[in-house]
Amino acid sequence: LSTRAATILNALDLPTNTEIPGVYDGAWRGSGDLLESKCPTTGEVLGRVKMASPKELHEVLDKTREAYRYIRSVPAPKRGEILRQVREALAAKRDELGALVSLEMGKIKTEGQGEVQEFVDICDYAVGLSRMMNGRVVASERPGHSILEVANPLGVVSVLTAFNFPVAVYGWNFALSFAAGNATIWKPSETTPLCAVAVTKIIAQMLEKNGIPGAVSALVTGDKCTGEAITESRDVDLVSFTGSEHVGRIVGKTVQSRFGKVLLELGGNNASIIMPDADMNLALPAVFFGAIGTAGQRCTSTRRLYLHRSIADEFLTKLRRLYSTVRVGDPLADSTLLGPLHTTKAVETYAAAIGHLRSIGAEIITGGERYLDSPLDQGNFVQPTISIPKSANPADKIWRTETFAPVLNVGIFDELEQAIEWNNNVPQGLSSSLWTRDIRNVGKWIGPAGSDAGIVNVNVGTSGAEIGAAFGGNKSTGWGRESGGDAWKQYVRWSACTINFSDAAPLAQGVDFSI
Ligand code: NAD
């Protein structure tokens, strides 16, 4: 192992010379197959993690059920206090954990740290929520009656996560789920097991210090089969899944078929629309970051750029110039803006998308190749690409498919209505962004005939949401909402309780059933 990788792993208490147990439910173990974590920058193997065996998964499910029975009776503000301590522990390791995200996932340093910050932020939010997860008192039509809407803990929540946010997405779910009084079981991506073990160690320390069963934040490192077993298990009350549309469709159907609760956060295909009156000095860097940031591996990455005809040439000239300045390389180097793709398979997907663009006669105005010079040839580095397909017709595959790589497709429009139609006319509905200074355009964009995405921004790029609002997308993005807003309401079970304080027992709607 390189000295640098060893230093990062050691700082997070991850062993470098032995196999790492990938299962936690109060005790660490792992007797399933080995997962290899590979660095996307250098190709080196960072660690070998022991997955959960099927038997261990069942043991962990039993333990999480027990832990749920314990934690549901701990008063919510007391749970908030534990979360506050988790928040402090994460903040203290922000730089180290951020570095591990860069090392294992491949995103640049500030984005890795930002991801840990997002976990810290959602803990803050959930600490507040722990005193505010209120129900309601509803007016009854019957004298001497009260109706309450009561929120109680839900049970066991399983969180299945994608590779591209190996820390924050668990954070969004765990913080709300824990504040709500649930036990949470995490199945991380099979390509980012080290981040999951490191995060779980930090949380576990705080739980154990407070005498809370570790299985309230259990970990089962595993692959597709582990994910399937969790999805099928009736011991899991809510499955919160973040990942591709393809897998989300399977997960959604499986959980539905056993009438479990499911929350889906799936792929995006996000557009930015630039009007002639946009402030180009703001729009250009936002599109640049949206399309290239995290090497195009955010669910909210800008994949489609719709330019008004009158500014299209000028905008593209300036954007190309910006692309030519991108500093590509080691994600842990301070100056780097573009790191590698996460896996060699992702490089193949990128190459296939470029091949398809060429085959349909799209003009590739920049990029389109791998970086093959040393040392970039050691990793999964690809050139950020801008293409202009011949047609902007959203029916074409290229406009309808999420390619998880830095490929930006450009279309030219004449009227805002046309651009909104293109924006909406794809299966996905995650993020969208309009650049204008005209309030009338803003009204159209956020109104009934406007963008149908879950995130509808104005003079803000598609990427980089804060935790305060509910995050998620519509249509084939799955309709799930996580993080802020009312997202917490999905992590509890609601009951309507009608209580009669009177000496009579009248029926609702005046129904007479006298005997
Ligand atoms: P993926 O769908 O390949 O994997 C996601 C998770 O599902 C992994 O933990 C994987 O092990 C597990 N899995 C695979 N097959 C399964 C099955 N049959 N049953 C149960 N679990 C199974 O996704 P990925 O490549 O890791 O992540 C990229 C995708 O995630 C992109 O589409 C991206 O847009 C999406 N994403 C969405 C959001 C959002 O909030 N909407 C956030 C991040 C990523």
Side-chain angles (χ1 to χ4, degrees):
L1 195 67
S2 62
T3 318
R4 181 175 74 170
T7 309
I8 294 171
L9 266 58
N10 283 333
L12 291 160
D13 201 18
L14 296 173
T16 48
N17 48 4
T18 55
E19 291 165 0
I20 301 173
V23 181
Y24 176 78
D25 59 1
W28 284 96
R29 60 194 184 287
S31 61
D33 294 342
L34 266 186
L35 271 183
E36 258 185 7
S37 166
K38 262 201 186 145
C39 175
T41 308
T42 60
E44 80 172 314
V45 174
L46 298 170
R48 293 183 174 82
V49 179
K50 290 288 270 179
M51 299 201 290
S53 67
K55 181 168 163 279
E56 277 165 342
L57 173 62
H58 287 289
E59 287 165 9
V60 175
L61 283 169
D62 288 347
K63 277 276 170 103
T64 45
R65 181 62 55 187
E66 252 175 58
Y68 158 65
R69 294 206 174 98
Y70 175 89
I71 200 71
R72 69 183 175 188
S73 303
V74 174
K78 291 232 158 60
R79 298 194 293 257
E81 165 53 21
I82 312 288
L83 270 179
R84 193 193 58 74
Q85 294 178 34
V86 169
R87 177 243 188 258
E88 292 296 307
L90 283 163
K93 290 280 181 194
R94 195 181 88 120
D95 291 357
E96 294 84 348
L97 198 49
L100 180 63
V101 172
S102 300
L103 192 70
E104 190 178 43
M105 184 274 157
K107 63 178 65 174
I108 63 170
K109 198 165 151 186
T110 62
E111 290 189 65
Q113 292 169 348
E115 202 179 319
V116 184
Q117 185 60 45
E118 213 167 324
F119 199 155
V120 169
D121 292 345
I122 194 70
C123 283
D124 280 340
Y125 186 87
V127 172
L129 260 186
S130 71
R131 289 182 184 267
M132 297 190 301
M133 293 178 147
N134 302 327
R136 288 200 288 197
V137 181
V138 178
S140 170
E141 67 191 39
R142 286 171 279 182
H145 285 57
S146 271
I147 303 174
L148 312 181
E149 282 180 359
V150 177
N152 275 304
L154 184 64
V156 172
V157 173
S158 178
V159 183
L160 309 182
T161 55
F163 77 83
N164 65 331
F165 278 90
V167 170
V169 169
Y170 182 64
W172 294 353
N173 282 280
F174 166 71
L176 298 194
S177 174
F178 183 80
N182 304 312
T184 311
I185 173 170
W186 183 12
K187 208 300 280 174
S189 166
E190 51 271 60
T191 54
T192 54
L194 297 179
C195 287
V197 171
V199 166
T200 302
K201 282 196 167 192
I202 292 171
I203 298 174
Q205 252 179 13
M206 291 303 116
L207 297 175
E208 288 169 17
K209 194 177 120 194
N210 285 280
I212 306 280
V216 297
S217 179
L219 174 69
V220 283
T221 308
D223 55 14
K224 176 180 173 218
C225 299
T226 322
E228 281 171 353
I230 288 175
T231 311
E232 285 162 10
S233 171
R234 287 178 190 277
D235 293 328
V236 177
D237 299 284
L238 167 66
V239 175
S240 174
F241 174 83
T242 301
S244 59
E245 287 163 75
H246 167 68
V247 177
R249 185 167 284 121
I250 301 170
V251 168
K253 282 185 186 159
T254 308
V255 181
Q256 276 290 329
S257 73
R258 61 174 176 82
F259 296 116
K261 266 189 103 171
V262 67
L263 200 167
L264 299 173
E265 294 281 359
L266 313 179
N269 182 5
N270 318 295
S272 277
I273 299 174
I274 317 291
M275 295 297 285
D277 66 332
D279 185 334
M280 299 301 163
N281 292 327
L282 304 185
L284 272 161
V287 170
F288 181 60
F289 170 68
I292 290 188
T294 331
Q297 299 167 103
R298 286 189 184 219
C299 50
T300 52
S301 290
T302 310
R303 311 213 177 273
R304 299 179 287 145
L305 175 63
Y306 296 129
L307 298 172
H308 191 271
R309 190 174 303 280
S310 62
I311 47 91
D313 284 347
E314 183 195 345
F315 196 94
L316 279 178
T317 306
K318 289 185 174 162
L319 190 62
R320 262 169 92 171
R321 209 174 293 145
L322 269 184
Y323 267 59
S324 71
T325 66
V326 70
R327 295 183 298 274
V328 51
D330 177 2
L332 280 161
D334 282 334
S335 60
T336 301
L337 292 180
L338 178 67
L341 290 180
H342 183 54
T343 56
T344 49
K345 199 167 153 234
V347 176
E348 286 165 24
T349 307
Y350 165 88
I354 302 288
H356 177 70
L357 280 166
R358 292 208 163 102
S359 75
I360 59 167
E363 191 189 346
I364 309 278
I365 63 169
T366 184
E369 306 291 338
R370 287 192 69 165
Y371 287 105
L372 290 172
D373 294 341
S374 176
L376 299 185
D377 59 340
Q378 303 295 307
N380 310 319
F381 290 90
V382 299
Q383 294 175 350
T385 303
I386 304 176
S387 95
I388 312 180
K390 274 189 174 150
S391 151
N393 182 351
D396 288 357
K397 176 181 152 201
I398 199 69
W399 295 106
R400 304 180 72 73
T401 321
E402 177 195 49
T403 301
F404 224 53
V407 180
L408 180 67
N409 292 311
V410 181
I412 316 281
F413 68 91
D414 294 294
E415 301 294 337
L416 175 59
E417 287 71 14
Q418 186 182 22
I420 294 177
E421 162 72 15
W422 291 347
N423 175 75
N424 292 350
N425 207 349
V426 294
Q428 308 80 358
L430 182 53
S431 187
S432 58
S433 152
L434 174 71
W435 293 81
T436 183
R437 282 187 269 212
D438 186 333
I439 191 75
R440 291 167 299 186
N441 294 335
V442 176
K444 277 181 199 159
W445 177 241
I446 67 171
S451 169
D452 65 2
I455 298 171
V456 182
N457 290 340
V458 178
N459 298 333
V460 170
T462 59
S463 208
E466 300 177 21
I467 57 104
F471 177 97
N474 303 335
K475 305 189 293 183
S476 74
T477 304
W479 301 99
R481 292 296 184 273
E482 282 177 4
S483 196
D486 282 343
W488 69 269
K489 293 184 176 170
Q490 301 161 106
Y491 297 81
V492 290
R493 79 180 146 76
W494 287 97
S495 33
C497 310
T498 307
I499 302 175
N500 179 3
F501 303 98
S502 75
D503 296 322
L507 294 170
Q509 293 90 38
V511 172
D512 183 4
F513 209 72
S514 47
I515 37 179

